[in-house]
Amino acid sequence: MPTSGPLQTPPSSEQSENEPPQTLLDLITGVFSVLLLSSLTVRSFVGRWQVVRSKLCTLQSSLSSISESPHWNDNSLLHTLFPSLLSTLQRLKALSDQCTLSSFAGGKLLMQSDLDMASSSLSNHLRDLDLLLRSGVLHQSNALVLSQPGPGSDKDDLVFFIRDLFTRLQIGGIEFKKKALESLLQLLNEDEKSAAAVAKEGNVGYLISLLEVNSQPLIREQAILAVSILASSIEDSRKIIFEEGGLGPLLRILETGSIPLKEKAAIAVEAITADPENAWAISAYGGVAVLIEACRSGSQPTQTHAVGALRNVASVEDIRMALGEEGAVPIILQLLVSGTTAAQEKAADCLSILASSGEYFRALIIQEKGLPRLMHVIQDSLSSEAIEHVLRTISSLSVTDSISRILSSSTVLIIQLGEFIKHGDMILQQISASLLSKLSISDGNKRAISSCMGSLIKLMECPKPVGLQETAVQAIVSLLTVRSNRKELVRDEKSLMRLVQMLDPKNESVSKKYPLMVVTALLGGGSGGCRRRLADAGANKHLQSLAEMEVTGAKKALQRLAGNRLKTIFSRTWRE
């Protein structure tokens, strides 16, 4: 540590900020040397001065390490740290002068308080100096941090930039903090991969501490934005934000913050709760009620992300019940009708999860007149994803007999399902076909959607997603109970050829039980026209082969295709 000459009259606080770091270090060294000696001769409050002296010894080591660092004199943080440290040491020197007198005549409680405050300030300086030393920024030229590393920059440059940034954020004044946060936001916005480095190298816990109400407003706003971006980026940064206790402050902001802050907080909460291991903690902070209120009265962006967080919570069995108890269902239903496209999708997903979870939530949805709303919104211009979740919810509700009867008698819904089967994506087709097969539809409504049978035959050829083939078969068999539908299907040459090709034993993409079920349904009414068309399409040969292979259902289908005249002969031949 540099030595100093005779102690000079110290500059004022404002003057010292304009002094170069070397001059400040010399002044600090001078005061420090005198203080260290005077602390040995105090006669009052000896115990407290022993604590102070221990901290001074640690300070001596820290200052020595700083002066030995190659680029310490270039670091602008010292322009903030050194003047403040010098002021604390000067205060301690004045206190030591009073405590070295043979008899202390001042107020003891006041002196104890002054010593405790000065000692606490000294601890803060030691913490800041230790942070500065551990960051490693004093070992590299300050020029590196003047330009932000781009996406293709060296990893070491990025690490150094992040460490320097967080060092300035933690121990700098308000202006340092603002500039550090501006740099952090720029980095996160311009380089998506930087979130991983920030999570690893930065002090995310300190960033979260800036979310508290007592932070300077602009700093708090920037910190919330940074946390929101980090939470939305990668799993590692979300995990750290949660582990550092970020969920509680974010929920408080969502409850009491300004509109822009609530929107950023809602984004972060939704991202954090996407992990079920984090979502359970919502209840510990009373977060369910906060999220419901945000869905009720928040701005559209806030509502969209708040209902997304509720959807995440709905997936966690242990706290799902709180959604019902806190009155979430009517609010979610309202967003399904009036929310943004994204909010509708998330609301629909949430309702789907709740409806599939058990009778309690199905009863709540029905009680809140959810069924009419669900049936109405699928006629609107919803996204395919939203319609998918709405249909899943309707399907879950259909297990209730009264609801099943309502759905079965709704011509509008039945026709809509037929349209989804014809024009929807594969998932939507599967859900629609499944719902269709569960309902007790009138013959008139079955005739009304006969045009979707060709699409159902086509779906029978698709092995994925799992269950699609079986669902398609169940739906088409239901429709084939109507005679006119059987005639219409066999007149559709493309669909008929597809069906016959699926019977071919060489065609291994389809389990033979499925086309056999459809053929059996086609021949169930004894229509000669259906038999002739199937025979002309080549069904006999494949059915004969399947019967010889003893495939279940093949014998029955072959008998029906042959008709009553050949039934007895075939049976005798089969027995032989």
Side-chain angles (χ1 to χ4, degrees), residues 554-572:
K555 175 183 174 182
K556 181 179 180 181
L558 187 58
Q559 288 175 339
R560 288 189 175 184
L561 184 62
N564 292 331
R565 187 173 58 83
L566 299 177
K567 183 174 181 180
T568 304
I569 298 173
F570 177 80
S571 298
R572 187 184 305 122

Side-chain angles (χ1 to χ4, degrees), residues 140-152:
Q140 296 197 44
S141 171
N142 199 48
L144 277 176
V145 299
L146 297 180
S147 58
Q148 179 166 301

Side-chain angles (χ1 to χ4, degrees), residues 40 109 161 189 209 307 340 432 446 568-569 571:
L40 292 172
L109 290 178
F161 179 80
N189 284 317
S209 73
V307 76
T340 63
S432 300
K446 287 181 181 180
T568 304
I569 298 173
S571 298

Side-chain angles (χ1 to χ4, degrees), residues 503-508 512 541-552 554-555 574:
L503 291 170
D504 188 346
K506 296 177 182 178
N507 184 352
E508 298 179 354
K512 299 309 162 197
K541 178 179 65 174
H542 297 322
L543 288 174
Q544 183 68 49
S545 298
L546 293 175
E548 292 171 358
M549 295 165 63
E550 299 186 10
V551 174
T552 303
K555 175 183 174 182
W574 184 262

Side-chain angles (χ1 to χ4, degrees), residues 371 374-375 378 390-398 407 435:
L371 184 62
L374 291 164
M375 293 174 68
I378 59 172
V390 168
L391 287 180
R392 288 190 191 279
T393 305
I394 292 174
S395 183
S396 293
L397 296 179
S398 69
L407 297 174
L435 182 54

Side-chain angles (χ1 to χ4, degrees), residues 163-412:
R163 287 180 179 175
D164 179 74
L165 186 154
F166 272 89
T167 302
R168 292 164 182 267
L169 183 62
Q170 290 172 255
I171 63 180
I174 290 179
E175 288 306 315
F176 271 115
K177 293 183 189 300
K178 287 180 181 178
K179 290 179 180 178
L181 284 168
E182 287 172 3
S183 297
L184 175 60
L185 291 171
Q186 185 180 353
L187 177 67
L188 291 172
N189 284 317
E190 292 181 359
D191 184 3
E192 295 178 357
K193 297 180 180 179
S194 65
V198 170
K200 182 179 180 181
E201 303 294 341
N203 188 337
V204 176
Y206 183 80
L207 187 63
I208 289 170
S209 73
L210 297 177
L211 304 185
E212 298 297 341
V213 179
N214 55 4
S215 296
Q216 202 269 348
L218 180 57
I219 289 174
R220 187 180 187 222
E221 183 177 342
Q222 290 176 313
I224 291 171
L225 181 53
V227 169
S228 177
I229 296 172
L230 283 170
S232 307
S233 298
I234 59 170
E235 183 179 349
D236 287 347
S237 53
R238 277 195 296 274
K239 183 178 179 182
I240 288 179
I241 289 171
F242 178 73
E243 291 175 347
E244 292 290 345
L247 188 56
L250 287 167
L251 285 168
R252 286 195 292 275
I253 291 167
L254 186 55
E255 184 176 21
T256 61
S258 64
I259 291 177
L261 295 189
K262 284 183 177 182
E263 291 174 358
K264 301 299 183 296
I267 292 171
V269 171
E270 181 184 18
I272 291 170
T273 54
D275 184 345
E277 293 184 3
N278 300 340
W280 66 266
I282 283 286
S283 60
Y285 296 102
V288 171
V290 174
L291 289 171
I292 292 172
E293 183 56 37
C295 289
R296 187 201 317 272
S297 59
S299 64
Q300 284 191 335
T302 298
Q303 288 178 327
T304 299
H305 295 290
V307 76
L310 285 179
R311 172 198 57 190
N312 296 338
V313 171
S315 300
V316 183
E317 184 177 357
D318 292 344
I319 57 175
R320 184 184 298 137
M321 193 63 68
L323 296 183
E325 295 169 351
E326 297 284 353
V329 171
I331 304 302
I332 298 170
L333 282 168
Q334 184 57 43
L335 281 179
L336 177 65
V337 174
S338 61
T340 63
T341 299
Q344 287 178 320
E345 290 176 0
K346 294 171 184 179
D349 193 6
C350 187
L351 289 169
S352 172
I353 294 168
L354 295 176
S356 65
S357 69
E359 184 57 34
Y360 172 73
F361 278 105
R362 287 196 287 270
L364 272 182
I365 293 171
I366 294 169
Q367 178 185 318
E368 295 294 338
K369 298 181 172 53
L371 184 62
R373 295 189 186 190
L374 291 164
M375 293 174 68
H376 174 74
V377 294
I378 59 172
Q379 300 173 50
D380 296 338
S381 301
L382 292 181
S383 67
S384 177
E385 184 176 348
I387 293 173
E388 172 191 330
H389 296 311
V390 168
L391 287 180
R392 288 190 191 279
T393 305
I394 292 174
S395 183
S396 293
L397 296 179
S398 69
V399 301
T400 303
D401 289 342
S402 59
I403 299 301
S404 180
R405 288 194 294 271
I406 293 172
L407 297 174
S408 297
S409 62
S410 173
T411 300
V412 172

